[in-house]
């Protein structure tokens, strides 16, 4: 295990706990001796995770589509910032660079990335851990929907279990470090 891809919001959310958990995740990643792969933004939860990993002395690779690179979104202090052409290229590059995936709260982009890595795990395209941090029960609605999909016969229980759910960043990093 070398690097963790973190998917999360480029906004901070409206509860202090979201930002606190993002910072805690960055600290835990660095303390575990892991590097970070993320979307390259300096703002929101994304920037908070990156700043803490950097403060801990660990590697941070940002992957940013060129449409966002020219704006003030790009984090200027990363170990490495890769500019790609499209969001599809961004997601593929992040998957290639990462050995595990952790998801914090976020919007459409975060949801898209979460569904793609879970689907890829289901199809056995990768066998990397996928861990969802359920800060303030943010993901409860999604988790209930996934249970409904199992009950309705559209999602197999073993595939539902591909998405590990934990309440804290510390537990997410422990899941990754001890993944088999």
């Amino acid at each position: 295990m070398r690097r963790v891809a973190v998917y999360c919001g480029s906004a901070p959310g409206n509860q202090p706990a979201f930002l606190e958990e993002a910072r805690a995740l960055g600290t835990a990643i660095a303390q575990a001796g892991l590097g970070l792969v993320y979307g390259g933004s300096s703002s929101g939860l994304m920037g908070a995770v990156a700043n803490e990993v950097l403060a801990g002395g660990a590697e941070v690779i940002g992957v940013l589509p060129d449409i966002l690179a020219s704006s003030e979104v790009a984090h200027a202090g990363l170990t490495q910032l890769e500019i790609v052409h499209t969001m599809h290229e961004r997601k593929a590059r992040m998957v290639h660079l990462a050995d595990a995936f952790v998801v914090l709260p976020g919007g459409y982009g975060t949801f898209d990335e979460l569904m793609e890595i879970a689907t890829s795990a289901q199809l056995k395209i990768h066998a990397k851990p996928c861990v969802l941090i359920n800060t303030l029960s943010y993901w409860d609605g999604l988790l209930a929907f996934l249970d409904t999909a199992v009950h309705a016969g559209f999602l197999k229980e073993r595939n539902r279990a591909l998405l590990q759910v934990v309440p804290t960043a510390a537990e997410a990093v422990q899941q990754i470090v001890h993944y088999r």
Side-chain angles (χ1 to χ4, degrees):
M1 195 67 58
R2 295 181 322 141
R3 294 187 194 112
V4 178
V6 173
Y7 301 124
C8 59
S10 60
N14 61 8
Q15 298 294 319
F18 295 136
L19 208 49
E20 291 167 13
E21 204 62 46
R23 289 182 181 124
L25 179 59
T27 299
I29 288 170
Q31 287 176 346
L34 301 169
L36 171 68
V37 177
Y38 85 117
S41 178
S42 61
S43 62
L45 302 186
M46 292 172 73
V49 173
N51 288 339
E52 293 302 316
V53 175
L54 288 166
E59 173 190 54
V60 178
I61 300 173
V63 184
L64 196 63
D66 56 13
I67 193 167
L68 298 174
S70 60
S71 70
E72 295 177 12
V73 170
H75 195 300
L78 304 179
T79 309
Q80 181 179 336
L81 179 63
E82 295 188 14
I83 306 299
V84 295
H85 294 295
T86 68
M87 291 296 283
H88 295 292
E89 289 178 57
R90 175 200 230 178
K91 291 188 295 182
R93 186 68 181 142
M94 289 177 68
V95 169
H96 174 75
L97 292 168
D99 301 301
F101 306 96
V102 174
V103 185
L104 286 165
Y108 282 140
T110 304
F111 185 76
D112 173 52
E113 292 159 333
L114 167 63
M115 289 297 105
E116 186 166 323
I117 60 161
T119 301
S120 294
Q122 175 181 300
L123 297 173
K124 297 181 181 8
I125 293 169
H126 74 78
K128 302 172 184 179
C130 304
V131 183
L132 187 69
I133 301 175
N134 197 16
T135 309
L136 296 179
S137 301
Y138 180 82
W139 296 108
D140 281 359
L142 172 65
L143 298 171
F145 168 75
L146 295 176
D147 292 339
T148 297
V150 169
H151 180 72
F154 290 104
L155 180 62
K156 294 179 180 167
E157 188 66 44
R158 71 174 179 269
N159 293 328
R160 167 68 175 82
L162 291 170
L163 190 58
Q164 301 166 49
V165 182
V166 297
T168 68
E171 290 173 78
V173 172
Q174 284 302 308
Q175 287 278 347
I176 289 166
V177 169
H178 296 104
Y179 184 77
R180 301 187 190 275

